[in-house]
């Protein structure tokens, strides 16, 4: 299939928008006679007038050839063999063109890892790709990507855009469309469902009807993904200023039920519970937009706090001391989440700290405030107190006291 070529004059990508390190690699590969494309999210984002945070390169040079061309190169990855080229403050990922799935070359189960550059492609019995190292052509590489808007390439040879999947049309229509059948693509890699939701929420794109239908029908398969990978994805979904939209799409698609069943149960109990979480995530998004770097602990507190605190209160009413009830519910809730999403122990401990600090904040003037401000999660705990105060539209003498204390200490208010 011939791609659509959009010549240099007809698109807005200029070399000034590309990282100088990425340009250096592209030119070096090109000079040595290799095809060198800038690919993926950076092409999409530059075309949309957004700043790109990472620059990925695809080439027909094999990982071994790339390694020989760049001294500062390390080969990484099991599932996809990739080259990482290290610079002082940036790592650029260079991958060899990948092939699409060829059912005749699909093997079920594991195979030996002796020859890293061997052509292979392994799926499990559910159709999920376990390992994928089949080198291909530029066309195959484009077709192996998840969405049409992510399959555009910028060719350093003539500065044109190479479009095999009508990505430009979809970009202009702000449409998220899978490359090939969405059911097959989501079965191969259920994380693609989360990626569709992420791009829809972060870029304000519409998910094509059939793609949305596939997500709704396959949402339960997200639990086949490794908890460690889901932990990575959850951070990308909730810490960058569009968590409220993601939450909405999670509820509608069934992904909430697959990933956070406790929360779904709790918000289904009352409208008030539901709007509390929406409100908290809205607040979280505003903090991000005001320039705050959000921590996963803060997200988890805003997201799970209302549920954990309400449940702890129920237990407290049944005569369990509040401190202990909070600890138990917190532990159980986070342990349940860990069945699907890995949460490092340090993170779970800090979330518990943040919630239990809410109790300590109530005693003002506090006799040992210094012992509190050193606890992990203290700034996030103050933020949670602020959120709760502002949600209730009320004044809070405890918050006022702590703000005053921090001011005297010349510590920035959280
Ligand atoms: P971001 O702005 O978050 O970096 P991105 O689209 O660049 O978005 P990356 O994870 O950096 O996302 O991946 C780079 C490119 O690799 C994507 O644009 C897409 O073409 C391809 N890709 C990434 N993950 C998948 C996947 N699970 N399945 C198919 N292609 C993928
Ligand atoms: Mg990227």
């Amino acid at each position: 299939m011939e791609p659509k070529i959009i010549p240099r004059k007809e698109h807005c990508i200029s070399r000034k928008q590309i990282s100088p390190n990425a340009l250096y690699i592209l030119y070096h590969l090109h000079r040595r006679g290799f095809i060198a494309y800038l690919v993926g999210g950076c092409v999409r984002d530059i075309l949309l007038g957004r700043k790109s945070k990472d620059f990925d390169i695809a080439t027909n040079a094999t990982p071994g050839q790339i390694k020989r061309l760049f001294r500062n190169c390390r080969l990484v990855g099991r599932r996809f063999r990739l080259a990482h080229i290290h610079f002082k403050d940036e790592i650029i990922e260079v991958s060899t063109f990948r092939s699409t799935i060829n059912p005749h070359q699909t093997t079920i189960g594991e195979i030996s890892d002796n020859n890293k550059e061997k052509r292979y492609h392994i799926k499990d019995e559910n159709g999920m790709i376990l390992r994928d190292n089949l080198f291909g052509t530029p066309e195959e590489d484009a077709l192996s990507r998840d969405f049409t808007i992510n399959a555009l390439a910028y060719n350093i040879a003539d500065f044109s855009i190479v479009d095999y999947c009508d990505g430009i049309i979809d970009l202009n229509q702000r449409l998220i469309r899978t490359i090939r059948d969405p059911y097959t693509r989501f079965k191969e890699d259920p994380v693609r469902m989360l990626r569709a939701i992420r791009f829809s929420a972060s870029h304000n794109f519409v998910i094509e009807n059939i793609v949305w239908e596939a997500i709704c029908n396959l949402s339960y398969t997200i639990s086949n993904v490794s908890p460690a990978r889901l932990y990575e994805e959850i951070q990308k979904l909730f810490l960058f200023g569009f968590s409220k939209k993601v939450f909405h799409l999670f509820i509608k698609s069934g992904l909430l039920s697959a990933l956070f069943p406790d929360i779904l149960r709790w918000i289904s109990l009352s409208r008030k519970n539901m709007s509390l979480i929406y409100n908290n995530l809205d607040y979280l998004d505003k903090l991000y937009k005001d320039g705050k770097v959000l921590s996963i602990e803060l997200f988890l507190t805003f997201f799970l706090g209302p549920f954990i605190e309400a449940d702890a209160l129920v237990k407290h009413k049944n005569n369990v001391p509040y401190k202990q009830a909070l600890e138990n519910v917190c532990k159980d809730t986070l342990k349940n989440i860990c069945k699907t999403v890995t949460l490092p122990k340090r993170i779970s401990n800090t979330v518990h700290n943040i919630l239990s600090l809410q109790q300590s904040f109530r005693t003002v003037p506090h006799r040992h405030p210094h012992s509190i401000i050193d606890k992990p999660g203290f700034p996030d705990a103050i933020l949670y107190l602020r959120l709760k105060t502002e949600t209730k539209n009320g004044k809070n003498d405890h918050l006022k006291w702590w703000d005053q204390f921090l001011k005297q200490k010349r510590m920035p208010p959280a």
Side-chain angles (χ1 to χ4, degrees):
M1 180 173 67
E2 286 301 312
K4 257 188 215 148
I5 303 287
I6 297 110
R8 178 190 193 170
K9 287 198 301 273
E10 290 171 28
H11 65 74
C12 64
I13 296 187
S14 113
R15 272 162 288 167
K16 285 195 204 92
Q17 294 154 296
I18 301 170
S19 132
N21 295 328
L23 277 177
Y24 159 76
I25 299 170
L26 288 166
Y27 280 129
H28 196 47
L29 285 165
H30 178 60
R31 272 196 307 270
R32 294 301 175 104
F34 293 108
I35 304 173
Y37 288 171
L38 196 66
V39 288
C42 58
V43 180
R44 173 199 70 213
D45 285 346
I46 298 175
L47 284 170
L48 288 170
R50 298 166 72 112
K51 244 182 131 92
S52 177
K53 51 182 165 41
D54 51 6
F55 293 87
D56 297 329
I57 290 171
T59 175
N60 59 344
T62 64
Q65 288 171 319
I66 301 167
K67 185 150 176 59
R68 283 191 288 280
L69 279 179
F70 300 94
R71 263 192 309 135
N72 45 345
C73 167
R74 272 185 222 141
L75 298 186
V76 296
R78 247 176 89 73
R79 186 166 153 207
F80 304 118
R81 199 79 181 137
L82 299 169
H84 275 179
I85 311 215
H86 290 248
F87 296 90
K88 214 169 81 198
D89 44 14
E90 194 178 15
I91 297 175
I92 306 270
E93 200 167 278
V94 183
S95 56
T96 307
F97 291 132
R98 262 172 223 161
S99 173
T100 38
I101 296 140
N102 178 346
H104 303 295
Q105 284 172 321
T106 297
T107 329
I108 291 177
E110 281 289 323
I111 62 167
S112 83
D113 200 25
N114 296 339
N115 182 355
K116 291 269 164 55
E117 295 196 1
K118 197 156 89 185
R119 297 184 140 240
Y120 51 65
H121 205 105
I122 314 167
K123 283 187 181 184
D124 72 3
E125 59 279 10
N126 300 320
M128 187 149 104
I129 297 178
L130 297 174
R131 195 174 306 163
D132 179 351
N133 226 11
L134 189 59
F135 302 137
T137 61
E139 177 183 356
E140 287 174 311
D141 184 81
L143 297 179
S144 76
R145 293 174 184 275
D146 48 4
F147 306 110
T148 59
I149 54 166
N150 288 347
L152 295 161
Y154 172 81
N155 185 358
I156 200 67
D158 59 3
F159 314 114
S160 65
I161 288 172
V162 185
D163 181 6
Y164 281 98
C165 316
D166 286 338
I168 288 282
I169 295 179
D170 292 340
L171 204 71
N172 290 333
Q173 294 184 340
R174 305 188 79 82
L175 188 65
I176 295 175
R177 208 159 54 86
T178 50
I179 295 168
R180 296 183 289 115
D181 168 53
Y183 283 87
T184 314
R185 301 311 308 281
F186 293 146
K187 278 182 194 162
E188 281 171 8
D189 182 0
V191 163
R192 289 174 186 151
M193 296 188 286
L194 300 182
R195 289 174 56 83
I197 283 183
R198 174 151 67 90
F199 298 128
S200 169
S202 63
H203 287 64
N204 257 326
F205 272 44
V206 173
I207 300 177
E208 191 188 31
N209 280 341
I210 178 163
V211 175
W212 178 251
E213 186 194 288
I215 295 177
C216 295
N217 286 322
L218 295 173
S219 56
Y220 70 96
T221 63
I222 201 70
S223 51
N224 296 337
V225 177
S226 83
R229 190 160 174 227
L230 286 177
Y231 174 60
E232 297 295 318
E233 292 301 319
I234 290 298
Q235 295 182 71
K236 292 185 205 160
L237 283 157
F238 287 102
L239 304 185
F240 295 96
F242 45 86
S243 70
K244 189 174 151 190
K245 282 190 207 157
V246 168
F247 180 62
H248 179 65
L249 295 172
F250 265 31
I251 299 178
K252 281 193 11 182
S253 61
L255 282 161
L256 191 71
S257 147
L259 288 168
F260 303 106
D262 283 348
I263 291 294
L264 180 70
R265 232 172 286 125
W266 189 70
I267 61 169
S268 310
L269 292 178
S270 77
R271 260 184 185 286
K272 195 170 138 253
N273 293 355
M274 169 97 85
S275 55
L276 202 54
I277 308 279
Y278 269 118
N279 179 70
N280 286 8
L281 294 181
D282 194 39
Y283 195 92
L284 189 76
D285 292 343
K286 286 198 183 112
L287 287 175
Y288 179 83
K289 279 166 198 149
D290 288 344
K292 166 130 183 86
V293 177
L294 303 178
S295 66
I296 181 82
E297 294 92 330
L298 188 68
F299 157 66
L300 288 169
T301 307
F302 279 30
F303 187 50
L304 306 171
F307 158 71
I308 294 175
E309 289 175 331
D311 218 21
L313 213 56
V314 171
K315 296 212 161 40
H316 177 55
K317 283 186 182 148
N318 290 327
N319 289 332
V320 183
Y322 183 75
K323 193 166 178 257
Q324 194 189 327
L326 187 75
E327 187 177 342
N328 293 346
V329 178
C330 198
K331 226 187 228 162
D332 291 348
T333 308
L334 295 170
K335 210 162 98 192
N336 270 348
I337 290 180
C338 282
K339 288 180 197 154
T340 31
V341 183
T342 305
L343 297 178
K345 191 104 197 96
R346 171 182 49 86
I347 305 284
S348 302
N349 288 344
T350 308
V351 172
H352 175 236
N353 256 344
I354 296 173
L355 291 174
S356 57
L357 276 171
Q358 305 305 309
Q359 281 302 103
S360 317
F361 288 155
R362 295 166 79 100
T363 325
V364 289
H366 202 282
R367 271 188 296 165
H368 306 291
H370 291 95
S371 68
I372 288 198
I373 59 175
D374 289 336
K375 290 206 174 189
F378 173 81
D380 284 349
I382 290 283
L383 272 177
Y384 189 50
L385 179 65
R386 200 177 301 291
L387 157 76
K388 291 205 289 187
T389 306
E390 287 178 20
T391 304
K392 284 183 195 138
N393 261 341
K395 284 191 299 184
N396 181 324
D397 290 339
H398 318 131
L399 178 62
K400 228 158 119 192
W401 189 89
W402 283 99
D403 274 342
Q404 201 63 37
F405 172 75
L406 293 175
K407 211 164 147 192
Q408 278 163 12
K409 296 250 341 146
R410 294 216 170 81
M411 284 177 75

